């Protein structure tokens, strides 16, 4: 019997085989949240770190406006796809680095900005990742994160996490705003402004992008079909399984106090 993979290895495997799909993903390549995060990170002469870069869409949006962007991911296949796309776009100030967000291979205060989009719900140890982000961020720097957030009530939260996990076994958790504020503060940040959006997920492309097995697709659809009215209403469940997610961007700055 083969040994089970670590969470990081499992995540890298899940996404490495889907690299081209994420570079080409229309959902990831556009959106008000991407534009907002790009504006937030657009600091002249800044060095920016994109944590869990995935298909690289934050990197591509930020690179023309800053000195340099380092795209970091667990999957080398994903990073190879990002490097190729950055070259195709003429973005010469983009570098890639394979590493875990919980153990960043950079010196203290290496970056003026640290950003992440649609990655943190895969992180095995969010507090450790945030401590690392705080460590590599220079004094006066900025941290900005966009991710799916759970909608609050346990009934809605449970259904969302179940759909996510069935679709992608590397999913850990969609956190809520209060959880993010607490974890950021504990990591040494001062949490700031929040912006929210609702983003529609077209079901067939959502599962195809991850290569979700048919049995898991059937399980998701069974949960959706049997979902009570509050779940169907909040997520705007459609007949084909498409639904709407809650997305949040939260800003933070280092508190400047050393441990």
């Amino acid at each position: 019997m083969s040994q089970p993979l670590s969470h990081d290895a499992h995540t890298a495997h899940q996404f490495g085989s889907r690299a081209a799909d994420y570079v080409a993903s229309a959902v990831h390549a556009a959106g008000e949240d991407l534009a907002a995060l790009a504006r937030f990170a657009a600091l002249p002469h800044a060095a920016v770190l994109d944590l869990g870069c995935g298909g690289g869409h934050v990197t591509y949006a930020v690179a023309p406006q800053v000195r340099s962007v380092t795209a970091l991911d667990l999957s080398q296949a994903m990073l190879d796809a990002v490097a190729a796309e950055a070259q195709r776009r003429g973005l010469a100030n983009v570098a890639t680095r394979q590493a875990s967000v919980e153990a960043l291979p950079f010196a203290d205060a290496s970056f003026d900005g640290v950003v992440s989009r649609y990655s943190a719900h895969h992180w095995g140890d969010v507090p450790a990742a945030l401590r690392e982000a705080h460590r590599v961020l220079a004094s006066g720097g900025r941290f900005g994160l966009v991710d799916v957030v759970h909608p609050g009530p346990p009934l809605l939260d449970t259904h969302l996490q179940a759909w996510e996990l069935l679709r992608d076994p590397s999913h850990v958790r969609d956190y809520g705003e209060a959880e993010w504020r607490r974890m950021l503060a504990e990591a040494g940040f001062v949490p700031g402004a929040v912006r929210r959006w609702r983003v529609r997920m077209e079901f067939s492309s959502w599962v195809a992008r991850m290569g979700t097995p048919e049995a898991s697709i059937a399980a998701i659809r069974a949960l959706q079909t049997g979902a009570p009215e509050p779940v169907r209403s909040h997520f705007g469940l459609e007949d084909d399984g498409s639904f709407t997610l809650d997305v949040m961007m939260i800003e933070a700055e280092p508190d400047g106090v050393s441990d």
Side-chain angles (χ1 to χ4, degrees):
M1 181 183 297
S2 60
Q3 290 295 316
L5 296 175
S6 69
H7 177 70
D8 280 359
H10 182 63
T11 303
H13 174 74
Q14 283 283 106
F15 283 90
S17 62
R18 317 304 303 182
D21 297 312
Y22 275 82
V23 171
S25 168
V27 170
H28 291 79
E32 294 179 20
D33 61 293
L34 175 60
L37 189 59
R39 288 193 298 270
F40 174 78
L43 305 169
H45 313 297
V48 175
L49 175 62
D50 181 4
L51 293 177
C53 66
H57 300 291
V58 173
T59 289
Y60 312 141
V62 172
Q65 308 175 73
V66 299
R67 174 166 55 88
S68 65
V69 182
T70 300
L72 182 137
D73 204 88
L74 284 171
S75 166
Q76 187 60 52
M78 191 74 81
L79 292 172
D80 291 344
V82 169
E85 180 64 14
Q87 183 178 34
R88 188 188 71 79
R89 297 184 185 211
L91 301 173
N93 61 339
V94 171
T96 61
R97 190 69 179 267
Q98 184 182 24
S100 166
V101 294
E102 291 102 347
L104 297 177
F106 308 110
D108 294 359
S110 294
F111 297 95
D112 306 293
V114 176
V115 293
S116 183
R117 179 174 181 253
Y118 295 144
S119 174
H121 59 276
H122 298 287
W123 297 353
D125 189 340
V126 170
L130 294 179
R131 289 193 297 270
E132 280 290 270
H134 185 277
R135 179 183 66 78
V136 302
L137 195 56
S139 177
R142 294 179 176 181
F143 178 81
L145 181 139
V146 169
D147 206 2
V148 176
V149 291
H150 73 68
L155 174 66
L156 305 181
D157 184 12
T158 297
H159 278 263
L160 173 63
Q161 308 295 347
W163 301 346
E164 290 264 49
L165 186 60
L166 283 166
R167 183 238 182 188
D168 172 15
S170 72
H171 174 77
V172 176
R173 178 163 176 76
D174 296 321
Y175 298 92
E177 180 181 346
E179 291 172 297
W180 275 116
R181 288 189 174 279
R182 174 181 55 77
M183 291 188 293
L184 283 164
E186 290 173 352
F189 287 98
V190 178
V194 161
R195 294 186 64 183
R196 291 178 177 272
W197 299 271
R198 304 212 73 207
V199 178
R200 180 179 180 271
M201 293 289 116
E202 194 278 320
F203 187 82
S204 62
S205 58
W206 181 63
V207 293
R209 191 163 52 245
M210 197 68 254
T212 306
E214 287 298 326
S216 296
I217 293 173
I220 297 169
R221 294 295 288 124
L223 285 174
Q224 291 180 328
T225 300
E229 191 282 330
V231 173
R232 302 187 64 84
S233 176
H234 179 84
F235 293 108
L237 269 175
E238 302 172 30
D239 290 343
D240 68 349
S242 299
F243 61 97
T244 300
L245 287 170
D246 298 277
V247 171
M248 183 186 78
M249 172 176 162
I250 187 165
E251 304 173 7
E253 297 180 354
D255 64 11
V257 179
S258 300
D259 294 336

